[in-house]
Structure formats: C-alpha cells, structure tokens
C-alpha cells in the first residue's frame, strides 16, 4: 500500500442520540478533512451528520418487508449493504462502532466478498461489553466479533481491561479515547434559551439518553437539595425511558417549575456554555463523552467515580467525583462550585486545558488513521 494514499473507509454506527453515534460521525467528518473518503452505514442518518460534505456518503440500510420477518433482519441487511458498497466503491476497511451486531455483520460481509483485504476495525463503546455483550444471550457472538476483527479499540483503559478480563482475550485492544473539537466546543457567553434562565442565577445541566444507567432521578434529587440554598435552575436535555419518572419526582417535590425538560437537542454547545455545572451521576460510563464536551466549554463536571470517568474528569482539578448514588455529596460539590466563583473558573480552565491536551480531535483522530494504515500494510 502506498504510504499516504487516501483511504476508502466504511463507518457503521447507531444513528440515534448516543455517544457512539456522535463519535462515529465526528470521526468521519474529521477523516475527510485528512483526505479520506467516508461511507456511513446505518438505518437512518447519524446524529451530527447534519450537513452535506464532499466525500461523505451515507448508505441507508433497508430491507424488504415480509410477513415472515416478525423480527427485524437488520444485521443481515447491513451485511448485504456492506458487501454491495464495499464492492462498488472498493472500500479498504470497515470501522464499526458498537460491537453488536455491527462487527458480526461486517465479518459476514468480509467473508462474502472473499477479499480478506477488506479489514475490520471494531470500536467498543461501553454497554456492548459491560451489559449486552456479557449477557449469555450475546456473549459468544460478541466474543467472536471481537476476536475476528482485524483490530479492536476501546474508548478507555477501563473498558480495555474489562474486555480482556470478560472475554479472555489474548490480544490487547488498543485504547483510543473519545475526542472533542476544542475549536467548536469553546467557552461562551450565557444565552437565555428558556425564560427561567433569564431569572435564575445559576444553571445546572444534565445531558443523556435517560436510560436507567444514567440515574436521572439522582440529578433531580441532588438539584432538590441545591435549590434550597441557592437560586438555580436545572436543564434536563435528552429523552428516554427514565424521563417520566424524573418529571414525576420533580412534580411531587414541587420543583418542576425550576426543572426544564428540553427533550433531545442537536446543538448542545450553547446549552453547555450557558451552564455552570454538568451533573452526570451515572451508574457506569466507559468514557462519558458529554463530560468531555462540557469540559471543553470550561464547564466543570460533577460525576461518579466509576468506569472510565476518572480517566476524563480529575477529581478536585476539573470537577468532582462521588460514589454512585451519593446525592448529598453531589449536591455539596455543586454548591461548593456555585458559591465560589474563583473555584468555578479554575476548575473550568483546568477542564478545558485537559480536553485540549489529551482529547482534542486533532490529537486523537490521527491515532485511528495510524491504526488503519497499520492493519492495511
Ligand atoms: O454503551 C452504550 O450505552 C452506548 C454508547 C452510546 O452509543 O451512547 O455509550 C457509550 O459510548 C459512549 C461513546 O464512546 C461513551 O461516552 C459512554 O460512556 C458509553 N456509555 C456507557 O458506558 C454506559
């Protein structure tokens, strides 16, 4: 392979509101700036792939609707689409985000094109190992997907270590952390999106997909304590199964007027810039991409001391980490930040510096490029 020839890369991801889809889209957008050609595959347009860019192609995975297919044959349709596109466009490699079912579909496609040259990179993001992948129903197929990929990457050291342990791997996955465009996620002026922001002195924000693992009710409970001491409002950004329960809690505890459920939002930069703290009380995060995005905007993060979060947030330097479920401690740290402007500034500046030094797009994406070249050579 010529050393610096542009590569034709297929990227498979979930298009929905979630970190792995964001990482995949941002990766593709940056790789075209580096001269490569990118083909995205999913069942709908991935989040953050919201404008036309030269050399980015999107291939929607669809399949014939047939009464026998009571369960979606998405994995097979994806394989078929990968075969078709990799043949027509002569793809060099397929980079799948989230093992299930993507790596299996890609392996099947590689076998079908009978071109061992088509390489597969699998990036493990989190629950594809910690929850879904280790469940008996998916364990063998996840292990197979990991072992048969030409390269496997994990978004944190925590996830890499856990993957080795759970799947008894002989080959160590590469650790390539998530990244943020620190020229895009910048500190900015507070903007008043909703009327309450104009009135309240401080804003706390939570952004997630509101799944049980995010512990969204903990956010409301911590806020309940905070707002007793200071004039603050809470922005709840995202949607998911736990939203109703969180709204119910806020209603029952007479704080719903100060808690704003904004639903899913595409542009979170202004919201982060308008917030004093990001509160992320997750049960587990393999990385916590939104924490990094907040840090890049100089917004300190109060989160939990689990999974890959301590690799992103440094306790007492860029934010604070508490035990899972320790609502009182979370509220105390938030109050400590909000009542001490110079502390808030220091944490915010440290946070941005950490994002710039370790997790900037320009530093991390070349690591993927290097890996692609390594497996293709
Ligand atoms: O694993 C998931 O729950 C899905 C995934 C996603 O698509 O949002 O989230 C994971 O990947 C993100 C991007 O790498 C990480 O920032 C999240 O921490 C991780 N979620 C969990 O580990 C729960």
């Amino acid at each position: 392979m010529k050393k610096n020839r542009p590569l034709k890369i297929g990227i498979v991801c979930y298009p929905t509101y979630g970190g792995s889809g964001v990482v995949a889209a941002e990766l593709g957008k940056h790789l075209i700036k580096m001269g490569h050609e990118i083909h995205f595959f999913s069942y709908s347009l991935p989040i953050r792939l919201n404008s036309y860019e030269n050399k980015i192609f999107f291939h929607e995975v669809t399949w014939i609707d047939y009464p026998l297919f009571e369960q979606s044959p998405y994995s097979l349709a994806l394989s078929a689409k990968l075969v078709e596109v990799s043949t027509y466009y002569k793809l060099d490699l397929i980079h799948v985000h989230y093992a299930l079912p993507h790596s299996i579909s890609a392996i099947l496609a590689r076998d079908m094109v009978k071109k061992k040259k088509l390489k597969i990179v699998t990036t493990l993001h989190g629950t594809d190992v910690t929850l879904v992948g280790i469940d008996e129903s998916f364990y063998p197929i996840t292990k197979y997907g990991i072992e048969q990929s030409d390269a496997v990457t994990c978004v944190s050291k925590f996830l890499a270590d856990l993957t080795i342990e759970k799947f008894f791997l002989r080959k160590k996955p590469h650790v390539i952390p998530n990244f943020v465009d620190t020229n895009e996620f910048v500190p900015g002026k507070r903007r008043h999106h909703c009327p309450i922001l104009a009135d309240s002195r401080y804003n706390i924000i939570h952004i997630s997909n509101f799944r049980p693992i995010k512990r969204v009710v903990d956010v409301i409970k911590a806020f309940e304590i905070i707002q007793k001491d200071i004039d603050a409002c809470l922005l709840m950004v995202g949607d998911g199964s736990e939203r109703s329960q969180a709204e119910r809690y806020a209603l029952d505890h007479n704080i719903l007027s100060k808690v704003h459920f904004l639903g899913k939002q595409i542009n979170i930069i202004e919201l982060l810039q308008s917030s004093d703290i990001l509160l992320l009380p997750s049960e587990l995060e393999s990385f916590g991409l939104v924490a990094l995005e907040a840090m890049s905007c100089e917004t300190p993060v109060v989160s939990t001391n689990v999974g890959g979060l301590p690799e992103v947030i440094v306790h007492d330097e860029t934010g604070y980490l508490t035990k899972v479920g320790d609502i009182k401690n979370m509220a105390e740290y938030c109050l400590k930040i909000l009542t001490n402007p110079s502390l808030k500034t220091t944490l915010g500046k440290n946070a941005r510096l950490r994002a710039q030094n370790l997790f900037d797009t320009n530093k991390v994406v070349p690591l993927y490029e290097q890996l692609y070249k390594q497996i293709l050579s």
Side-chain angles (χ1 to χ4, degrees):
M1 187 187 101
K2 269 196 207 147
K3 221 171 162 213
N4 282 323
R5 86 169 160 87
L7 302 177
K8 294 186 174 200
I9 302 162
I11 293 184
V12 181
C13 65
Y14 282 106
T16 42
Y17 200 68
S20 62
V22 170
V23 171
E26 297 294 349
L27 173 64
K29 276 156 57 175
H30 201 77
L31 284 168
I32 53 158
K33 288 188 193 145
M34 295 166 83
H36 305 294
E37 182 177 302
I38 305 297
H39 294 257
F40 277 96
F41 298 84
S42 199
Y43 51 83
S44 66
L45 194 67
I47 184 169
R48 300 235 181 134
L49 213 66
N50 40 16
S51 63
Y52 170 75
E53 307 231 17
N54 195 16
K55 295 224 169 142
I56 284 201
F57 300 83
F58 172 59
H59 306 275
E60 190 175 346
V61 179
T62 55
W63 55 93
I64 178 174
D65 187 19
Y66 191 62
L68 272 182
F69 297 159
E70 222 171 80
Q71 312 298 330
S72 144
Y74 175 66
S75 328
L76 299 178
L78 173 60
S79 265
K81 185 58 86 182
L82 289 171
V83 169
E84 179 191 304
V85 175
S86 61
T87 311
Y88 294 170
Y89 291 88
K90 300 191 170 41
L91 300 188
D92 293 295
L93 67 103
I94 296 168
H95 184 172
V96 305
H97 291 262
Y98 206 90
L100 284 166
H102 301 151
S103 50
I104 301 300
S105 303
I107 289 161
L108 187 56
R110 180 181 65 190
D111 289 353
M112 278 190 280
V113 290
K114 290 198 183 75
K115 186 182 158 218
K116 274 281 176 191
K117 271 197 216 149
L118 180 67
K119 301 291 181 189
I120 296 167
V121 177
T122 294
T123 290
L124 302 170
H125 279 272
T127 50
D128 44 356
V129 172
T130 59
L131 201 77
V132 190
I134 56 170
D135 187 84
E136 263 172 46
S137 55
F138 286 121
Y139 183 86
I141 209 152
T142 310
K143 185 168 162 65
Y144 186 78
I146 292 170
E147 287 176 345
Q148 295 299 314
S149 296
D150 296 286
V152 176
T153 78
C154 289
V155 297
S156 61
K157 188 172 173 306
F158 156 79
L159 190 61
D161 291 345
L162 191 79
T163 308
I164 295 170
E165 183 198 318
K166 296 289 180 195
F167 293 99
F168 306 98
L169 302 184
R170 267 185 263 145
K171 226 170 119 193
K172 234 178 147 188
H174 301 259
V175 176
I176 302 187
N178 287 334
F179 51 88
V180 63
D181 184 340
T182 60
N183 291 320
E184 199 187 342
F185 283 77
V186 288
K189 282 209 191 92
R190 179 184 287 210
R191 295 165 189 83
H192 301 296
H193 289 272
C194 53
I196 193 85
L197 284 187
D199 303 333
S200 64
R201 203 144 159 230
Y202 302 108
N203 307 319
I204 295 172
I205 192 166
H206 171 80
I207 306 178
S208 77
N209 47 22
F210 286 47
R211 275 182 290 164
I213 209 163
K214 305 292 176 179
R215 295 184 69 102
V216 283
V217 177
D218 282 6
V219 180
I220 316 286
K221 286 183 178 171
F223 178 73
E224 189 185 3
I225 302 174
I226 297 163
Q227 56 84 42
K228 281 185 185 149
D229 278 17
I230 55 161
D231 173 24
C233 85
L234 174 64
L235 300 181
M236 297 290 287
V237 181
D239 216 326
S241 61
E242 307 305 288
R243 176 171 168 173
S244 302
Q245 211 193 325
E247 282 173 325
R248 181 87 237 165
Y249 186 94
L251 180 73
D252 290 349
H253 292 78
N254 297 320
I255 52 171
L256 192 57
S257 62
K258 293 182 181 177
V259 183
H260 300 272
F261 286 86
L262 305 187
K264 292 179 185 176
Q265 297 289 325
I266 302 291
N267 184 3
I268 58 163
I269 299 178
E270 288 187 4
L271 291 167
L272 287 171
Q273 289 170 339
S274 300
S275 302
D276 300 290
I277 294 172
L278 173 86
L279 186 51
L280 190 68
S282 306
E283 179 101 36
L284 186 62
E285 289 290 343
S286 64
F287 187 90
L289 180 63
V290 74
L292 178 62
E293 292 175 332
M295 286 164 62
S296 186
C297 295
E298 286 189 2
T299 305
V301 183
V302 173
S303 188
T304 41
N305 193 4
V306 284
L309 286 165
E311 293 174 49
V312 185
I313 306 151
V314 182
H315 181 72
D316 215 11
E317 190 182 306
T318 69
Y320 292 102
L321 298 170
T322 73
K323 280 195 193 138
V324 172
D326 193 343
I327 294 146
K328 208 166 146 259
N329 205 210
M330 279 171 211
E332 278 163 4
Y333 280 131
C334 288
L335 285 166
K336 183 173 169 173
I337 297 171
L338 297 178
T339 54
N340 187 342
S342 72
L343 173 68
K344 191 200 149 214
T345 308
T346 309
L347 293 172
K349 296 235 175 284
N350 290 344
R352 178 158 170 83
L353 211 60
R354 187 169 170 79
Q356 286 171 319
N357 289 342
L358 298 182
F359 302 107
D360 185 75
T361 308
N362 290 311
K363 292 205 162 111
V364 178
V365 175
L367 302 178
Y368 280 115
E369 189 194 41
Q370 221 172 298
L371 181 66
Y372 299 156
K373 289 185 175 166
Q374 194 183 313
I375 60 167
L376 285 166
S377 64

